[in-house]
Amino acid sequence: MLKALLPTFAGVLALGGRVLAHNAQEVLGSSPASSGPPNVIFVLTDDQDLHMDSLDYMQHVQKHLLAEGTFFKRHFCTIAVCCPSRVNIWTGKAAHNTNVTDLWLPFAYLPVWLQSAGYSTYYVGKLFNSHRVDNYNKPFPASWTGSDFLLDPHTYSYLNATFQRERDPPKSYEGHYSTDVLASKVFDYLDDAVAAKRPFFLTAAPVAPHSNIGYTPPNIGRELSTPPIAAKRHEHLFEDAKIPRHANFNPDEPSGVNWIRDLPKQNQTNVNFNDHFYRQRLRALQAVDEMVDQLIQRLSNYGILDNTYIIYSADNGYSISQHRRQPGKECGYEEDINVPLIIRGPGVPRNATTEVVTSHTDLVPTIFDMVGLTPHRDFDGVAIPLTKASVEEAEKARHEHVNVEYWGWAMSEGDYGREVHWNNTYKSLRLLGNGYNYYYSVWCNNTDPWQMNNIHPTAAASPSAPPIHLLGHPISKVLARLDSLVMVLKSCKARECTHPWETLHPAGNVANLHDALHTRFDSYYESQVERVRFDRCERGYIVDAEGPQHVSGYREGLWWSEWV
């Protein structure tokens, strides 16, 4: 079993709820109400990075969202690929609890709950993968007041998109720019939502800055992936932009584990192409940026801007040339999992940044909090703090971890090194606490133990290398705690996902890694907790391949069986 531990630093990564009744929202033509139940708008981009500075190139997002809301700097997706991540967003459950671990169509939950609370629900754009022109009505996605979905196989075709509105047949928009078509539909549904005089939830889900994928004869059934395509008006922008040259950009020495360790250093021609790919991503995001600006203007004109929460995020992040990787995602590196999250709205601090640890699993509980619903007890996440006081409290007391998981393959995009890496299955943990910032991973293979700045003992440069200490303790002691934490998180449900230390220490006297490092727990962690392992490598969540599942909690040095 291959395990790796990376310290991460800023700038460098190796870096049955109760339903409350609502009064209908009052909308008066010339003087719309700005009180009552709040509205919620979610702008969900596709594959947008945080660590390659994409937000720096979005002036309207900076003006209307970053300057007017709170930026959650330590927000993570929990599985770095489109469909499972979106299911995680809309259900409030980890991928191992939905068993949607690949790119196949599941079901939606959030709109059902919001409609029961009196909300109109609207969705425009990409919902899930494998939502196709031949299965869009088998059945129709449930509980949307209005919907206009992008459909495969043309979801990612910027100039040949197919949309499917409500119960209508699919319609091709060949020759029209996909994000502009989407924006027009979003604005139409905003008009409908206001006219309905009810609180509403509206999602705008463009495909930018995902790569462009087309299917043309004689290649039907085979993807033709190219860099994203910009709207004509944006083609000339950012001619000098390049991928940020951080320490993990195309390093001289190989880094990473598994297949990443074997990647060759990219030559200059490859790097030049990847810089072009990067610029195309920035250009494709400009139409999204314009849509945000127009959304704000329309909300303001309707008089409901101050009573509307706006959430801006991405399903997962993206890497280009970091660790010698070609354009793509699906790994546990910071570029792939640390994604943008900005929220503005009633009571949300303006022009603020917080390092509170949050994840996509927390978004449904957060939306419940926004609209006044009681969170379901089986949610795997908890609401994100949205007021100054709650943010300050969370910075002292909120959990410090994110569970990251993945099954199956990883795929490279772009013109170079295009191949499928069939075994990319891993469990991992991001832990960001007082004085520590770690990424710990367990891969389903037995190949290579190296990662960039990997400080796991098996990665020592030589047998004579000096012993490594973390937080004043031998690294083996710290690793035992981290592995035990992953043991809980890899199959956690509900509260256990946000309070895993309670499973390990039912007495409630351990809340973080510092607490767990007390010497009286050494024997428990070293000999009584099973280690994370895989019994075999699968391309999805199959329990009998996942190794041990049960964790016996610490009982003042005694085995669980001696207490029950």
Side-chain angles (χ1 to χ4, degrees), residues 321-495:
S321 291
Q322 292 80 26
H323 302 278
R324 301 182 173 180
R325 291 170 58 199
Q326 300 300 338
K329 58 257 187 183
E330 296 136 351
C331 292
Y333 291 114
E334 208 80 340
E335 289 83 4
D336 295 35
I337 62 173
N338 186 198
V339 299
L341 177 66
I342 313 164
I343 302 177
R344 71 167 283 175
V348 179
R350 298 173 59 190
N351 195 28
T353 297
T354 178
E355 295 192 354
V356 168
V357 177
T358 63
S359 80
H360 278 353
T361 317
D362 300 323
L363 289 174
V364 164
T366 303
I367 294 168
F368 267 47
D369 187 47
M370 290 173 174
V371 306
L373 289 175
T374 300
H376 296 180
R377 295 182 65 183
D378 64 348
F379 284 159
D380 296 333
V382 293
I384 295 168
L386 295 178
T387 65
K388 185 174 185 294
S390 62
V391 168
E392 291 173 351
E393 178 61 26
E395 287 172 344
K396 297 182 229 175
R398 189 179 170 91
H399 60 267
E400 58 185 14
H401 67 275
V402 174
N403 174 48
V404 181
E405 49 197 353
Y406 195 91
W407 297 263
W409 47 268
M411 181 178 66
S412 299
E413 303 173 27
D415 280 4
Y416 296 83
R418 185 180 293 183
E419 58 184 306
V420 175
H421 306 282
W422 291 109
N423 184 10
N424 192 54
T425 297
Y426 58 86
K427 311 285 184 191
S428 61
L429 168 73
R430 279 294 278 117
L431 194 68
L432 304 102
N434 182 18
Y436 48 87
N437 187 346
Y438 300 137
Y439 172 75
Y440 176 77
S441 62
V442 180
W443 289 69
C444 189
N445 58 51
N446 292 288
T447 54
D448 191 279
W450 293 81
Q451 241 175 321
M452 176 73 78
N453 291 341
N454 187 357
I455 56 177
H456 193 283
T458 57
S462 71
S464 61
I468 299 172
H469 284 71
L470 295 176
L471 304 175
H473 300 277
I475 188 173
S476 59
K477 181 172 178 174
V478 177
L479 290 176
R481 272 69 171 175
L482 298 181
D483 199 86
S484 298
L485 203 57
V486 177
M487 262 299 298
V488 176
L489 292 170
K490 77 187 187 76
S491 55
C492 68
K493 294 182 185 297
R495 181 178 173 86

Side-chain angles (χ1 to χ4, degrees), residues 15 38 62 73-74 177 206 343 385 407 430 438 460 468 544:
L15 188 324
Q62 292 184 51
K73 184 178 180 180
R74 290 178 168 177
Y177 191 65
I343 302 177
W407 297 263
R430 279 294 278 117
Y438 300 137
I468 299 172
D544 66 11

Side-chain angles (χ1 to χ4, degrees), residues 158 177 208-212 226-230 276-285 318:
Y158 283 81
Y177 191 65
H210 194 286
S211 59
N212 181 76
T226 67
I229 295 175
H276 165 68
F277 197 110
Y278 172 70
R279 286 189 289 272
Q280 288 298 101
R281 286 171 53 84
L282 300 179
R283 291 162 178 158
L285 282 168
Y318 206 74

